[in-house]
Protein backbone atom coordinates (compact mmCIF):
# COMPACT_ATOMS: atom_id res chain seq x y z
CA UNK A 1 0.00 0.00 0.00
CA UNK A 2 0.99 3.65 -0.24
CA UNK A 3 -0.37 6.69 1.57
CA UNK A 4 0.09 10.38 0.87
CA UNK A 5 -1.26 13.02 3.23
CA UNK A 6 -1.30 16.80 3.50
CA UNK A 7 -2.48 18.54 6.66
CA UNK A 8 -2.86 22.21 7.52
CA UNK A 9 -4.04 23.58 10.85
CA UNK A 10 -4.42 27.14 12.08
CA UNK A 11 -5.83 28.80 15.17
CA UNK A 12 -6.16 32.42 16.23
CA UNK A 13 -6.96 33.21 19.86
CA UNK A 14 -7.56 36.39 21.80
CA UNK A 15 -7.99 36.90 25.55
CA UNK A 16 -9.43 39.92 27.35
CA UNK A 17 -8.42 40.06 31.02
CA UNK A 18 -10.91 41.84 33.27
CA UNK A 19 -10.92 42.72 36.95
CA UNK A 20 -12.76 39.60 38.11
CA UNK A 21 -12.27 37.28 35.17
CA UNK A 22 -11.52 36.92 31.49
CA UNK A 23 -13.08 36.39 28.05
CA UNK A 24 -11.45 34.29 25.34
CA UNK A 25 -12.23 33.76 21.64
CA UNK A 26 -10.64 31.09 19.40
CA UNK A 27 -11.03 30.77 15.66
CA UNK A 28 -9.76 27.46 14.24
CA UNK A 29 -9.56 25.61 10.93
CA UNK A 30 -8.03 22.28 9.86
CA UNK A 31 -7.86 20.60 6.45
CA UNK A 32 -6.55 17.12 5.66
CA UNK A 33 -6.11 15.58 2.23
CA UNK A 34 -5.13 11.92 2.11
CA UNK A 35 -5.03 9.09 -0.42
CA UNK A 36 -4.46 5.58 0.88
CA UNK A 37 -3.83 3.29 -2.09
CA UNK A 38 -4.01 -0.27 -0.79
CA UNK A 39 -4.90 -3.85 -1.65
CA UNK A 40 -8.65 -4.29 -1.30
CA UNK A 41 -9.81 -7.58 -2.86
CA UNK A 42 -8.65 -10.68 -4.72
CA UNK A 43 -10.77 -12.11 -7.56
CA UNK A 44 -10.71 -15.49 -9.28
CA UNK A 45 -12.85 -14.26 -12.15
CA UNK A 46 -16.12 -15.18 -10.50
CA UNK A 47 -15.87 -14.12 -6.86
CA UNK A 48 -14.08 -11.25 -5.15
CA UNK A 49 -12.97 -11.58 -1.54
CA UNK A 50 -11.59 -9.00 0.84
CA UNK A 51 -8.15 -9.50 2.33
CA UNK A 52 -9.56 -9.86 5.86
CA UNK A 53 -11.91 -12.64 4.71
CA UNK A 54 -9.08 -14.57 3.06
CA UNK A 55 -6.72 -14.28 6.01
CA UNK A 56 -9.44 -15.28 8.47
CA UNK A 57 -9.81 -18.70 6.76
CA UNK A 58 -6.87 -19.37 4.42
CA UNK A 59 -7.65 -23.11 4.18
CA UNK A 60 -11.14 -22.56 2.77
CA UNK A 61 -9.81 -19.97 0.34
CA UNK A 62 -6.52 -21.68 -0.50
CA UNK A 63 -6.34 -20.35 -4.06
CA UNK A 64 -6.95 -16.78 -2.95
CA UNK A 65 -4.40 -17.15 -0.17
CA UNK A 66 -1.76 -18.48 -2.58
CA UNK A 67 -2.45 -15.55 -4.89
CA UNK A 68 -1.76 -13.22 -1.97
CA UNK A 69 1.56 -14.98 -1.48
CA UNK A 70 2.45 -14.78 -5.17
CA UNK A 71 1.97 -18.48 -6.02
CA UNK A 72 -0.31 -19.93 -8.72
CA UNK A 73 -1.62 -16.49 -9.55
CA UNK A 74 -3.35 -17.24 -12.85
CA UNK A 75 -6.30 -16.41 -13.23
CA UNK A 76 -6.41 -14.33 -10.03
CA UNK A 77 -6.41 -10.55 -10.11
CA UNK A 78 -5.97 -7.97 -7.38
CA UNK A 79 -8.02 -4.84 -6.81
CA UNK A 80 -6.29 -1.83 -5.28
CA UNK A 81 -8.54 0.85 -3.87
CA UNK A 82 -7.62 4.52 -3.77
CA UNK A 83 -9.20 5.70 -0.52
CA UNK A 84 -9.02 9.32 -1.59
CA UNK A 85 -10.60 11.60 1.01
CA UNK A 86 -10.47 15.16 2.23
CA UNK A 87 -11.51 16.44 5.65
CA UNK A 88 -12.27 19.91 6.94
CA UNK A 89 -13.16 21.18 10.40
CA UNK A 90 -13.56 24.80 11.42
CA UNK A 91 -15.33 26.91 13.97
CA UNK A 92 -15.43 29.64 16.56
CA UNK A 93 -15.27 29.10 20.31
CA UNK A 94 -16.12 31.66 22.99
CA UNK A 95 -15.50 31.21 26.71
CA UNK A 96 -15.56 33.42 29.80
CA UNK A 97 -15.05 33.02 33.53
CA UNK A 98 -15.74 35.36 36.43
CA UNK A 99 -15.20 35.10 40.19
CA UNK A 100 -16.53 37.13 43.13
CA UNK A 101 -17.27 36.75 46.80
CA UNK A 102 -20.17 37.49 49.10
CA UNK A 103 -18.91 37.29 52.66
CA UNK A 104 -17.41 33.83 53.27
CA UNK A 105 -18.87 32.35 50.07
CA UNK A 106 -16.82 32.33 46.85
CA UNK A 107 -18.66 32.22 43.51
CA UNK A 108 -17.28 31.25 40.12
CA UNK A 109 -19.31 31.61 36.92
CA UNK A 110 -18.32 30.06 33.59
CA UNK A 111 -20.07 30.14 30.20
CA UNK A 112 -19.01 29.04 26.73
CA UNK A 113 -20.27 28.47 23.18
CA UNK A 114 -18.90 26.82 20.08
CA UNK A 115 -20.01 27.11 16.47
CA UNK A 116 -18.55 24.17 14.50
CA UNK A 117 -18.59 22.77 10.96
CA UNK A 118 -16.87 19.68 9.57
CA UNK A 119 -17.08 17.42 6.55
CA UNK A 120 -15.54 14.30 5.02
CA UNK A 121 -15.43 14.17 1.23
CA UNK A 122 -14.88 10.75 -0.40
CA UNK A 123 -13.87 10.45 -4.08
CA UNK A 124 -12.51 6.93 -4.48
CA UNK A 125 -11.82 4.40 -7.24
CA UNK A 126 -10.41 0.89 -7.74
CA UNK A 127 -7.74 -0.30 -10.18
CA UNK A 128 -7.30 -3.92 -11.25
CA UNK A 129 -3.94 -5.70 -11.43
CA UNK A 130 -2.96 -9.04 -12.92
CA UNK A 131 -0.72 -11.22 -10.76
CA UNK A 132 0.91 -13.18 -13.59
CA UNK A 133 4.54 -14.21 -13.01
CA UNK A 134 4.42 -12.80 -9.48
CA UNK A 135 4.63 -9.24 -10.80
CA UNK A 136 1.53 -7.02 -10.43
CA UNK A 137 0.61 -5.32 -13.69
CA UNK A 138 -2.22 -2.86 -14.03
CA UNK A 139 -4.79 -4.08 -16.52
CA UNK A 140 -7.74 -1.77 -15.85
CA UNK A 141 -8.20 1.72 -14.42
CA UNK A 142 -11.25 2.24 -12.27
CA UNK A 143 -13.82 4.99 -12.81
CA UNK A 144 -13.19 7.98 -10.56
CA UNK A 145 -15.77 8.06 -7.79
CA UNK A 146 -17.03 4.53 -8.46
CA UNK A 147 -15.78 3.27 -5.08
CA UNK A 148 -17.14 6.14 -3.02
CA UNK A 149 -18.47 9.50 -4.18
CA UNK A 150 -20.13 11.31 -1.31
CA UNK A 151 -19.82 14.09 1.21
CA UNK A 152 -20.84 13.89 4.88
CA UNK A 153 -21.13 17.21 6.70
CA UNK A 154 -22.22 18.41 10.14
CA UNK A 155 -23.00 21.77 11.66
CA UNK A 156 -23.16 22.11 15.42
CA UNK A 157 -23.91 24.73 18.04
CA UNK A 158 -23.18 23.94 21.67
CA UNK A 159 -23.33 26.13 24.77
CA UNK A 160 -22.90 25.60 28.48
CA UNK A 161 -23.11 27.48 31.75
CA UNK A 162 -21.65 26.46 35.09
CA UNK A 163 -21.94 28.10 38.48
CA UNK A 164 -19.93 27.06 41.56
CA UNK A 165 -20.35 28.21 45.15
CA UNK A 166 -17.58 27.42 47.69
CA UNK A 167 -17.94 27.77 51.44
CA UNK A 168 -15.25 26.41 53.78
CA UNK A 169 -14.78 22.77 52.69
CA UNK A 170 -18.06 22.57 50.82
CA UNK A 171 -18.82 23.34 47.19
CA UNK A 172 -21.97 23.05 45.15
CA UNK A 173 -22.02 23.26 41.39
CA UNK A 174 -24.89 23.69 38.93
CA UNK A 175 -24.42 23.18 35.21
CA UNK A 176 -26.41 23.16 31.99
CA UNK A 177 -25.29 22.20 28.48
CA UNK A 178 -27.23 22.33 25.23
CA UNK A 179 -26.31 21.01 21.78
CA UNK A 180 -27.88 21.27 18.36
CA UNK A 181 -26.36 19.18 15.56
CA UNK A 182 -27.48 19.09 11.94
CA UNK A 183 -25.87 16.48 9.68
CA UNK A 184 -26.31 15.73 6.01
CA UNK A 185 -25.06 13.33 3.35
CA UNK A 186 -24.83 14.01 -0.37
CA UNK A 187 -24.14 10.90 -2.45
CA UNK A 188 -23.47 11.33 -6.17
CA UNK A 189 -23.42 7.58 -6.82
CA UNK A 190 -20.83 5.44 -8.56
CA UNK A 191 -21.28 6.79 -12.10
CA UNK A 192 -21.05 10.57 -11.73
CA UNK A 193 -17.38 11.53 -11.52
CA UNK A 194 -18.19 15.15 -12.43
CA UNK A 195 -20.82 15.38 -9.67
CA UNK A 196 -23.53 16.71 -11.93
CA UNK A 197 -26.30 15.23 -9.78
CA UNK A 198 -27.73 12.76 -12.28
CA UNK A 199 -28.26 10.10 -9.59
CA UNK A 200 -28.15 12.23 -6.48
CA UNK A 201 -29.15 10.85 -3.10
CA UNK A 202 -29.48 13.23 -0.13
CA UNK A 203 -30.48 12.85 3.49
CA UNK A 204 -30.43 14.99 6.64
CA UNK A 205 -30.71 14.47 10.36
CA UNK A 206 -30.99 16.85 13.32
CA UNK A 207 -30.56 16.29 17.03
CA UNK A 208 -31.07 18.54 20.02
CA UNK A 209 -30.18 17.74 23.61
CA UNK A 210 -30.12 19.51 26.97
CA UNK A 211 -27.94 18.09 29.74
CA UNK A 212 -28.33 19.47 33.29
CA UNK A 213 -25.91 18.67 36.09
CA UNK A 214 -25.60 19.08 39.85
CA UNK A 215 -22.77 18.19 42.24
CA UNK A 216 -22.10 18.57 45.95
CA UNK A 217 -18.56 18.04 47.25
CA UNK A 218 -16.72 18.23 50.55
CA UNK A 219 -12.95 18.50 50.79
CA UNK A 220 -11.06 16.50 53.41
CA UNK A 221 -7.66 17.41 54.84
Amino acid sequence: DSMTMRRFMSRIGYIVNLKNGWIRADLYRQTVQRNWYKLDKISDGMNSLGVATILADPYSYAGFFQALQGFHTDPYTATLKANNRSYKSQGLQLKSQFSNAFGPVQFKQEVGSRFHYDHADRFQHRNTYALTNDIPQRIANGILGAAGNRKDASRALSSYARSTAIWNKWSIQLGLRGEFIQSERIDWGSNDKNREGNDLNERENSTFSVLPGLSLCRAFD
Side-chain angles (χ1 to χ4, degrees), residues 22-80:
W22 47 266
I23 301 174
R24 175 168 182 154
D26 289 282
L27 188 67
Y28 61 92
R29 177 185 174 93
Q30 177 176 253
T31 58
V32 177
Q33 171 66 49
R34 82 106 204 259
N35 192 357
W36 189 6
Y37 193 61
K38 64 176 180 175
L39 181 62
D40 185 44
K41 294 183 178 180
I42 298 292
S43 173
D44 63 356
M46 297 181 61
N47 300 303
S48 294
L49 297 179
V51 176
T53 300
I54 299 171
L55 296 180
D57 192 359
Y59 296 102
S60 297
Y61 306 111
F64 291 88
F65 184 64
Q66 289 178 344
L68 280 176
Q69 294 177 298
F71 304 113
H72 307 294
T73 55
D74 190 27
Y76 292 93
T77 57
T79 301
L80 272 72

Side-chain angles (χ1 to χ4, degrees), residues 175-188:
L176 183 67
R177 178 181 177 87
E179 294 183 348
F180 175 74
I181 303 174
Q182 184 179 40
S183 58
E184 63 179 12
R185 170 175 290 182
I186 304 174
D187 195 332
W188 288 271

Side-chain angles (χ1 to χ4, degrees), residues 192-209:
D192 189 3
K193 65 179 182 179
N194 295 321
R195 293 186 168 180
E196 296 175 346
N198 300 322
D199 190 24
L200 194 65
N201 185 9
E202 298 180 89
R203 65 186 186 188
E204 294 184 355
N205 184 52
S206 298
T207 59
F208 176 74
S209 61

Side-chain angles (χ1 to χ4, degrees), residues 8 27 39 43 57 59-60 65 75 86 98 112 117-118 123 128 133-134 143 145 147 169-171 194 196 211 217 219:
F8 178 78
L27 188 67
L39 181 62
S43 173
D57 192 359
Y59 296 102
S60 297
F65 184 64
S86 62
F98 296 91
Y117 168 83
D118 60 53
F123 192 61
T128 304
N133 299 324
D134 300 341
I143 300 174
K169 297 182 179 182
W170 291 91
S171 65
N194 295 321
E196 296 175 346
L211 308 172
C217 299

Side-chain angles (χ1 to χ4, degrees), residues 9-182:
M9 181 177 181
S10 59
R11 180 178 66 84
I12 299 175
Y14 189 79
I15 300 177
V16 178
N17 290 313
L18 304 173
K19 182 178 180 181
N20 296 322
W22 47 266
I23 301 174
R24 175 168 182 154
D26 289 282
L27 188 67
Y28 61 92
R29 177 185 174 93
Q30 177 176 253
T31 58
V32 177
Q33 171 66 49
R34 82 106 204 259
N35 192 357
W36 189 6
Y37 193 61
K38 64 176 180 175
L39 181 62
D40 185 44
K41 294 183 178 180
I42 298 292
S43 173
D44 63 356
M46 297 181 61
N47 300 303
S48 294
L49 297 179
V51 176
T53 300
I54 299 171
L55 296 180
D57 192 359
Y59 296 102
S60 297
Y61 306 111
F64 291 88
F65 184 64
Q66 289 178 344
L68 280 176
Q69 294 177 298
F71 304 113
H72 307 294
T73 55
D74 190 27
Y76 292 93
T77 57
T79 301
L80 272 72
K81 184 178 180 181
N83 291 275
N84 182 37
R85 304 178 184 182
S86 62
Y87 303 91
K88 178 192 290 184
S89 59
Q90 60 187 21
L92 171 65
Q93 179 172 285
L94 304 172
K95 186 177 179 180
S96 63
Q97 189 178 102
F98 296 91
S99 300
N100 48 46
F102 290 93
V105 182
Q106 299 288 327
F107 290 94
K108 183 171 69 174
Q109 317 295 332
E110 184 178 327
V111 295
S113 292
R114 176 182 290 183
F115 308 89
H116 179 81
Y117 168 83
D118 60 53
H119 78 234
D121 193 338
R122 291 169 170 81
F123 192 61
Q124 307 174 160
H125 69 278
R126 295 184 178 94
N127 295 328
T128 304
Y129 287 78
L131 301 174
T132 307
N133 299 324
D134 300 341
I135 301 175
Q137 296 179 344
R138 187 184 300 185
I139 59 175
N141 292 323
I143 300 174
L144 297 178
N149 189 8
R150 74 174 193 260
K151 180 177 178 180
D152 297 277
S154 297
R155 297 170 178 84
L157 169 63
S158 61
S159 298
Y160 77 96
R162 183 165 56 195
S163 180
T164 306
I166 304 172
W167 177 71
N168 290 333
K169 297 182 179 182
W170 291 91
S171 65
I172 184 171
Q173 187 175 89
L174 300 174
L176 183 67
R177 178 181 177 87
E179 294 183 348
F180 175 74
I181 303 174
Q182 184 179 40

